[in-house]
Amino acid sequence: MNKSTFKFKVGIIGLGYVGLPRSLQFCERGISVCGIDIDTSKIKKLKEGKSYLTNINDFKIKKIIKKKIFFPTDDFSNISKVENIIICLPTPLTNLNKPDLSYIKNTFNKIQKFLKPHQMICLESTSYPGTTSEIFVNFLKKKFLIGKNFYLGFSPERNDPGLKLNISQIPKIVSGFSNNCLNKSYKLYKPIFNRIIKAETLETAEMTKIYENVFRAVNIGFVNEMKKICKNMEINIHDVINLAKTKPFGFMPFYPGPGLGGHCIPIDPFYLSWKAKKLGLDTKFIQTSGKINRAMPGWIIGNINKYFFYKKKKRNNLTGKKFLILGISYKKNINDMRESPALEIINNLLRYNSKVSFFDPFFKKVPKTRKYNFEKIKRSKLSKSNLVKFDGVILVTDHDNVNYKKILNYSKVIFDTRNKYKIKSPKIIQL
């Protein structure tokens, strides 16, 4: 099949926090995109010119739909009409903290019968080194000559929801199964990124993505542990960080919080540890940081329990208490709930039989996730009459579009996990 007969230059599978922005990048350069997702509600919104991501407005979607350069669908047979296939699917963990590659594997099984000569598959989903070869190569070799009439690559996504920087300005790493595949990957992304960097092998590119995220996870684990130490010593960890970062060499500031969120940083250390264990290696340092970060929501609740113990002298101090969770997305100014520490904090409070409400400017209800279903928890307005009813406000995510002055004025106590309130007040407990 001549590649000029393909209807779409690019097909993107998975229209989430990576796939939809990537689709927009291509469309804004005049490159046609067929976007595929199994979530029919997303497809419906896109066809209506509506966005479901905070970092993409409706106008941009309407524009590319009107130009007929973007075709959203849930029909995988359209893969036969695209020249390049980019896979942007989740790679979560199982309940045993092992890699769950079912989204990629199931999707590949769906599209196999629609693959044709001269196409390319490029995986962007984060996983352990060797994933691209393990999933795709055996089947592709049976049907095609990889590097001659079919191409395979891996290009790690570096999208960061809420980041002010234009995605196109972030250097893009590409790799390929062969030199021809590498060159094909380079040509695919060249129109939409200012700088393309070639990796020597698929595995090197896969490891680079894992390395970047584990680097952050380990350093965040370290600063979270320092927060615990400083709390016991009655030292403000944020004052320590602000002083330390005045050093012009050998230091990079990382900031503590209520726990890790997002798709990459809470998950990637476990992907790498699992792969290393297969090779007979024990990644103690990486595993420890992962455990510290995952324990932070429990540490937050433990300290809140202590606060009420000192006030009431009761053993179970959270039963029946009313709490407002302020911010439920994993980071500020976005509607991204993936692995949010707010979910674990809510879960801990419910175990104590506390009464929980939430406020987040980006959510009308707590979305159902793979692990939790808190859809019955009600959203509370930030009115004086509501705020005075809560025994405590737990500030989990510090969105900008919130009236923090009102919250301070009418709340009984605020447990601030983000250092949003930088003033000293008996109402503010820094955690």
Side-chain angles (χ1 to χ4, degrees), residues 170-284:
I170 302 171
K172 183 66 167 165
I173 294 172
V174 298
S175 64
F177 179 80
S178 67
N179 282 335
N180 285 343
C181 295
L182 176 60
N183 291 332
K184 184 81 170 174
S185 297
Y186 182 90
K187 290 177 182 177
L188 170 62
Y189 290 104
K190 185 81 167 63
I192 65 169
F193 283 96
N194 296 348
R195 186 182 176 201
I196 309 289
I197 302 166
K198 293 181 178 181
E200 288 192 8
T201 65
L202 294 167
E203 292 76 18
T204 303
E206 289 167 329
M207 178 60 91
T208 299
K209 174 60 176 176
I210 288 277
Y211 179 81
E212 290 172 0
N213 290 333
V214 172
F215 171 81
R216 292 176 66 191
V218 166
N219 278 281
I220 293 171
F222 168 67
V223 77
N224 277 332
E225 189 164 56
M226 288 299 297
K227 176 165 82 167
K228 294 179 181 180
I229 295 169
C230 286
K231 176 72 174 173
N232 285 359
M233 292 183 174
E234 298 184 354
I235 297 170
N236 188 320
I237 180 63
H238 295 278
D239 290 343
V240 173
I241 295 168
N242 288 335
L243 290 171
K245 71 181 184 182
T246 62
K247 184 181 179 182
F249 58 91
F251 182 82
M252 180 183 293
F254 287 83
Y255 298 93
L260 290 180
H263 176 65
C264 293
I265 302 178
I267 292 174
D268 289 1
F270 294 96
Y271 264 67
L272 186 56
S273 294
W274 177 86
K275 183 64 175 179
K277 191 174 182 179
K278 292 284 184 181
L279 301 173
L281 300 172
D282 188 7
T283 55
K284 294 179 181 178

Side-chain angles (χ1 to χ4, degrees), residues 333-389:
N333 302 332
I334 60 171
N335 65 340
D336 192 342
M337 279 289 298
R338 292 175 296 172
E339 307 295 327
S340 173
L343 297 172
E344 189 61 34
I345 287 172
I346 291 172
N347 193 50
N348 273 285
L349 289 171
L350 294 178
R351 285 176 180 170
Y352 277 101
N353 294 316
S354 300
K355 297 176 181 178
V356 183
S357 298
F358 84 97
F359 175 80
D360 190 303
F362 296 100
F363 295 95
K364 292 182 179 180
K365 64 179 182 179
V366 182
K368 185 178 179 180
T369 66
R370 287 185 288 266
K371 190 175 180 182
Y372 297 110
N373 184 4
F374 297 138
E375 292 179 321
K376 291 183 180 179
I377 292 177
K378 294 183 178 179
R379 187 178 192 260
S380 176
K381 293 181 179 179
L382 296 183
S383 62
K384 175 183 176 181
S385 59
N386 282 340
L387 288 168
V388 296
K389 294 177 183 176

Side-chain angles (χ1 to χ4, degrees), residues 306-419:
K306 286 179 184 177
Y307 170 84
F308 287 107
F309 172 79
Y310 290 130
K311 289 180 75 70
K312 301 293 183 181
K313 302 296 182 183
K314 292 181 180 179
R315 187 170 185 180
N316 190 349
N317 312 291
L318 302 181
T319 299
K321 290 283 190 304
K322 295 179 180 178
F323 290 99
L324 176 68
I325 304 297
L326 189 57
I328 59 171
S329 41
Y330 86 87
K331 65 183 290 188
K332 63 191 264 184
N333 302 332
I334 60 171
N335 65 340
D336 192 342
M337 279 289 298
R338 292 175 296 172
E339 307 295 327
S340 173
L343 297 172
E344 189 61 34
I345 287 172
I346 291 172
N347 193 50
N348 273 285
L349 289 171
L350 294 178
R351 285 176 180 170
Y352 277 101
N353 294 316
S354 300
K355 297 176 181 178
V356 183
S357 298
F358 84 97
F359 175 80
D360 190 303
F362 296 100
F363 295 95
K364 292 182 179 180
K365 64 179 182 179
V366 182
K368 185 178 179 180
T369 66
R370 287 185 288 266
K371 190 175 180 182
Y372 297 110
N373 184 4
F374 297 138
E375 292 179 321
K376 291 183 180 179
I377 292 177
K378 294 183 178 179
R379 187 178 192 260
S380 176
K381 293 181 179 179
L382 296 183
S383 62
K384 175 183 176 181
S385 59
N386 282 340
L387 288 168
V388 296
K389 294 177 183 176
F390 293 105
D391 294 294
V393 174
I394 306 175
L395 198 168
V396 180
T397 312
D398 53 337
H399 296 300
D400 290 338
N401 188 26
V402 174
N403 191 335
Y404 291 100
K405 186 176 181 181
K406 180 192 280 189
I407 295 168
L408 178 60
N409 286 340
Y410 300 117
S411 298
K412 294 172 184 174
V413 62
I414 301 168
F415 301 98
D416 184 0
T417 71
R418 296 286 186 177
N419 195 40

